[in-house]
Every structure is written in structure tokens, then in C-alpha cells.
Amino acid sequence: MGSNKKLRLAILASGGGTNLQSIIDQCQQGILDAEIVLVVSNNPNAGALGRAKKAGIATTCINHRDFDQREDFDNAVIATLQEAGTELVVLAGFMRIISAVFLQAFPQRIINIHPALLPSFPGLHVQQKALDYGAKFSGCTVHFIDDGVDTGAIIAQAVVPIFSDDSEATLAARILEQEHKIYPQVIQWFAEERITINGRQVAIEAGKQDKSTLTNPPVI
Ligand code: GRF
């Protein structure tokens, strides 16, 4: 918390934006040493854009349908992020694959949240997949982006139980509650420069505050 400098976040979202909202709220409450400099969506109808505008945050919509090549779309997004002085790229329900050119532009500075305990259940519709499989626990994972789908090094996870009467919606809601806690927490670790990555191993340097909930590693 020492310095006054705030970590400059760009949030990329394609959907409703509840994770974005949790980050907005914690920035506004002064819990995070971070500011959202830009919200980017590929979907003109994303609820996330409305949430950002309501909070007075700059927004850009870059529709992937306007581009023939994935790399051209990514280059347009990269240029926008760089112009805004982005230091950390936060994917929050961003439904596009990140290409190599994007990774090179922000090495080890792109993170994502996934609504399952990776490496179980990568991809889409993962709450239903966990139910269908008969898993007794699921949860969420914050991870670095690499060149695979949901394969990057894991920064933090939170676990929730799965109950026999769960539907996809009830499980998703239980997981989202944890997403809204661990994603802002990881952003704060970045702001405090406490995260180091060595291959697949991500370490969090000990800090002064104890805000641990269901997080592993615990925060000390
Ligand atoms: C979340 O479940 C997140 O884990 C996944 O996409 C969903 C986004 O939800 N990557 P929201 O738009 O933040 O509400």
C-alpha cells in the first residue's frame, strides 16, 4: 500500500461484467491500489460497457466481426491498450482467444479468471461439465494467459462445494461469489508487486495484510 502510484488496469469483457463490477467497487472503496483506465469489449451489447460508463470509466468497443484475421483484431486491441498506458490486462469474461502477438505485447501481464478448478474443466460451460462429471467440489482459478486455452500458470484458486440439488445456475452463482473475492485480491498482489512467476510456479511474497478467505496460497 506504500506508494501512491496506482496500477493501471485495462479490463476486457464480453458479457455482463459482474467481475468488472467487483473490481470497480473495490477501486472506488480504495481497497485496491489500482485504477481502471479502460474497459474494452468485442461485443457492443456487453453489459460490462454499461457498468463501466456508469462508473465514469473510458470504454472502447472493438468488434471482432470487423476484422478478417484474429491478429488484426488483436493488434487493434493492443494499440488501444498501449495508448491508455495499460500495465495489467485483466480478462473478465472476454470470449476471444489471445494470440501470440498479444502475449508478446504484454508479457506476463495478462490474467484471466476461469469458473472451474483448472486443470479440470477448461473451455466453456464448465459449471455444467463439473455437474455432469459428478465432481464434489469446483471453484475458480485466476491464471496467467499463455498460448493455450486455460493452461497458464495458476495464481490463485478458491473452492466451493457442489450439492446434489445444484443446477448450473446455482453452482455458477456460488462460484461467482468467490470470483468477486479472488480476482480483486490478485490484482492487489500485482499492485503491491508481490507476484513472481517461474515456469508454472507462481509465488506470492508475504505482505502485511491478512485478507485470506478461501485462497490458496493464504495471504500473510
Ligand atoms: C465468469 O464466470 C468468469 O469466470 C468467466 O466468464 C464469466 C464472466 O462473468 N471467465 P461476468 O461477465 O464477470 O459476470
Side-chain angles (χ1 to χ4, degrees):
M1 293 293 242
S3 100
N4 292 327
K5 194 184 164 300
K6 292 190 170 179
L7 181 68
R8 296 174 67 83
L9 311 174
I11 314 250
L12 276 53
S14 305
T18 65
N19 277 286
L20 166 67
Q21 190 66 54
S22 72
I23 300 164
I24 291 173
D25 292 346
Q26 294 210 18
C27 284
Q28 285 177 347
Q29 290 160 21
I31 297 170
L32 297 186
D33 297 323
E35 62 179 315
I36 304 171
V37 294
L38 185 64
V39 170
V40 179
S41 186
N42 62 310
N43 171 13
N45 301 316
L49 290 172
R51 290 179 188 269
K53 283 176 193 154
K54 197 169 165 208
I57 297 166
T59 61
T60 308
C61 181
I62 304 177
N63 194 334
H64 60 281
R65 293 174 205 276
D66 296 338
F67 298 84
D68 290 336
Q69 306 287 333
R70 186 186 299 281
E71 281 209 355
D72 294 339
F73 168 75
D74 277 9
N75 278 323
V77 175
I78 291 164
T80 310
L81 297 181
Q82 285 173 339
E83 224 165 89
T86 302
E87 294 173 317
L88 182 67
V89 180
V90 178
L91 308 184
F94 187 60
M95 302 303 282
R96 307 300 301 164
I97 304 254
I98 301 296
S99 70
V101 68
F102 204 148
L103 288 171
Q104 282 153 19
F106 292 95
Q108 296 181 350
R109 301 302 283 182
I110 312 175
I111 59 173
N112 183 46
I113 189 154
H114 181 78
L117 292 175
L118 292 170
S120 290
F121 310 119
L124 296 175
H125 310 298
V126 296
Q127 297 91 345
Q128 188 61 51
K129 282 178 189 162
L131 289 173
D132 292 346
Y133 198 86
K136 299 300 184 202
F137 289 94
S138 190
C140 48
T141 304
V142 179
H143 63 94
F144 283 98
I145 291 290
D146 68 3
D147 56 5
V149 176
D150 302 325
T151 53
I154 292 171
I155 305 169
Q157 294 183 305
V159 179
V160 305
I162 297 178
F163 300 121
S164 54
D165 60 352
D166 264 330
S167 64
E168 184 180 12
T170 58
L171 177 58
R174 192 175 306 122
I175 294 171
L176 265 180
E177 205 182 316
Q178 297 306 316
E179 294 185 35
H180 299 161
K181 291 179 185 166
I182 67 167
Y183 217 8
Q185 174 68 81
V186 167
I187 290 167
Q188 181 61 19
W189 288 340
F190 272 96
E192 294 172 358
E193 297 180 349
R194 288 168 56 189
I195 296 188
T196 53
I197 174 170
N198 180 10
R200 289 210 60 84
Q201 308 307 317
V202 177
I204 316 300
E205 263 177 48
K208 289 186 199 123
Q209 297 164 305
D210 185 356
K211 291 192 251 171
S212 64
T213 50
L214 294 171
T215 58
N216 183 28
V219 187
I220 51 169

